[in-house]
Amino acid sequence: MAVHRHTSRRRRPTIAAPLHRFADLWRKGGGVEDYALSELRDGHRRSLRRMGSEFEITERTICLDVLPDAFNGFRIVQLTDVHYGVFLPEDMLRQAVQMVNELEPDLVALTGDFVTYSRAYIEPVAEILAGIESRHGAYAVLGNHDFRVGAEQVAGALEERGIEVLRNRHTKLRRRGQILYLAGIDDWNYRPDLGKALRGIPRNASTILLSHNPSIIRAAARANVPLVLSGHTHGGQVNIPLLGNIWGRSPEQLQYKVGWARLGQTQIYVSRGIGTIVVPVRFRCPAEIANLTLERAS
Ligand SMILES: [Fe+2]
């Protein structure tokens, strides 16, 4: 009796296989972060997401030479570099929004990188951020990742939910008949136009500039902008003892990249942000929600 053997041909894994899997995810609207975590088991994913990702609230008073009376004590909560997706999933973002709301901000500044590589997260991130409560609303600028994924889509999704996106323009915040100017520019690598954003603002007016990338600091100082709020650097994200982070470790190397600094009359605050890129890990560089109080310098 003849025995028929059914042999199924097994495809041998090739070097190109991971690339094909990534390309497949990309086509479905996924991104690098989905690919990286899809390689791990559930338990590992959960622990990676949690590594160093607890949110820290930074309390900081910013003293400004020019500040209308009505804005003395005005509180801006800054949330930046959300990078919504597998690295920073829904429960964590909802927790961050709740923490922002508990701070009862006068204004919320969202300084870019809402997503990382995947357009699938644009609508969901906007939906969750729509839960932000603030007396004067929430304002946003776009980061480099938002441009890579789709600037129009990100801006559209935020605007639809009442979050105003400042793309090379400014707006006036009014309190008791007094004005604070809030300007915002597109990302440093995607044709920011500071001149256009500031056009019409009286010189020496009280102005705050939102810029995803802190590299704008020199141009902002030349334009006499009193305060810039930025993100982008993630504070280095990983800070190894003795070695420091990717930006360096000396105060000079870290100037304008992490925390508060001043150049001439211009002050800048660079938040570490809440999200992560490349690896879903922070080390000695906690995720940050910045609670900034404006005060007139005496
Ligand atoms: Fe970022």
Side-chain angles (χ1 to χ4, degrees):
M1 199 168 91
V3 176
H4 295 280
R5 271 200 193 145
H6 294 276
T7 53
S8 61
R9 268 212 197 145
R10 268 200 185 166
R11 224 190 252 169
R12 291 173 64 193
T14 65
I15 286 175
L19 290 175
H20 287 309
R21 284 204 299 280
F22 171 64
D24 198 41
L25 262 168
W26 184 277
R27 274 196 296 278
K28 290 172 186 160
V32 169
E33 72 268 57
D34 299 273
Y35 172 71
L37 283 190
S38 69
E39 300 292 296
L40 296 171
R41 287 204 307 270
D42 272 356
H44 290 133
R45 272 181 234 174
R46 273 196 297 276
S47 50
L48 269 178
R49 279 175 189 162
R50 296 290 169 192
M51 269 180 74
S53 58
E54 296 77 20
F55 305 126
E56 190 174 278
I57 294 172
T58 305
E59 303 280 351
R60 177 114 211 173
T61 300
I62 308 259
C63 294
L64 298 166
D65 291 332
V66 180
L67 187 67
D69 282 344
F71 289 92
N72 207 6
F74 193 77
R75 276 190 311 104
I76 301 175
V77 172
Q78 185 192 5
L79 195 65
T80 192
D81 295 84
V82 171
H83 292 282
Y84 187 59
V86 182
F87 286 8
L88 189 120
E90 184 181 345
D91 59 330
M92 287 175 68
L93 184 55
R94 288 194 187 281
Q95 185 195 338
V97 168
Q98 190 186 334
M99 288 172 76
V100 168
N101 291 344
E102 281 168 5
L103 291 169
E104 299 184 359
D106 291 313
L107 183 131
V108 173
L110 304 165
T111 44
D113 276 4
F114 296 92
V115 289
T116 306
Y117 296 108
S118 172
R119 62 186 175 276
Y121 295 111
I122 294 175
E123 290 294 323
V125 72
E127 192 60 45
I128 298 172
L129 293 175
I132 288 174
E133 295 159 9
S134 155
R135 288 178 196 88
H136 287 261
Y139 292 84
V141 287
L142 302 180
N144 50 317
H145 281 274
D146 302 318
F147 276 89
R148 269 190 233 166
V149 174
E152 302 302 327
Q153 293 94 318
V154 174
L158 294 171
E159 294 266 3
E160 255 174 42
R161 281 135 178 123
I163 296 169
E164 207 171 310
V165 183
L166 299 171
R167 300 195 60 186
N168 302 319
R169 66 183 182 89
H170 69 263
T171 189
K172 292 174 187 171
L173 306 173
R174 294 173 198 276
R175 259 191 161 190
R176 302 200 294 273
Q178 297 181 316
I179 293 173
L180 177 69
Y181 291 87
L182 183 69
I185 49 168
D186 279 352
D187 181 69
W188 180 251
N189 292 306
Y190 294 86
R191 299 190 189 170
D193 192 336
L194 184 59
K196 193 176 163 199
L198 301 178
R199 200 166 297 148
I201 299 179
R203 203 164 169 83
N204 299 325
S206 194
T207 304
I208 296 168
L209 173 67
L210 308 183
S211 168
H212 176 67
N213 193 317
S215 299
I216 199 68
I217 180 69
R218 284 169 188 81
R222 282 196 299 274
N224 237 8
V225 174
L227 177 62
V228 182
L229 303 183
S230 293
H232 180 62
T233 63
H234 298 199
Q237 197 172 307
V238 169
N239 186 338
I240 299 165
L242 301 177
L243 291 177
N245 64 45
I246 55 164
W247 307 112
R249 62 193 164 98
S250 70
E252 295 75 29
Q253 288 166 321
L254 297 176
Q255 197 177 28
Y256 314 126
K257 293 194 172 59
V258 188
W260 180 90
R262 177 192 279 273
L263 178 64
Q265 295 304 306
T266 299
Q267 298 180 61
I268 188 167
Y269 189 78
V270 188
S271 168
R272 298 187 299 271
I274 62 168
T276 55
I277 54 165
V278 185
V279 285
V281 171
R282 282 178 173 268
F283 182 63
R284 301 203 322 151
C285 181
E288 174 185 30
I289 295 170
N291 186 21
L292 309 169
T293 303
L294 306 186
E295 269 183 20
R296 190 163 52 215
S298 50

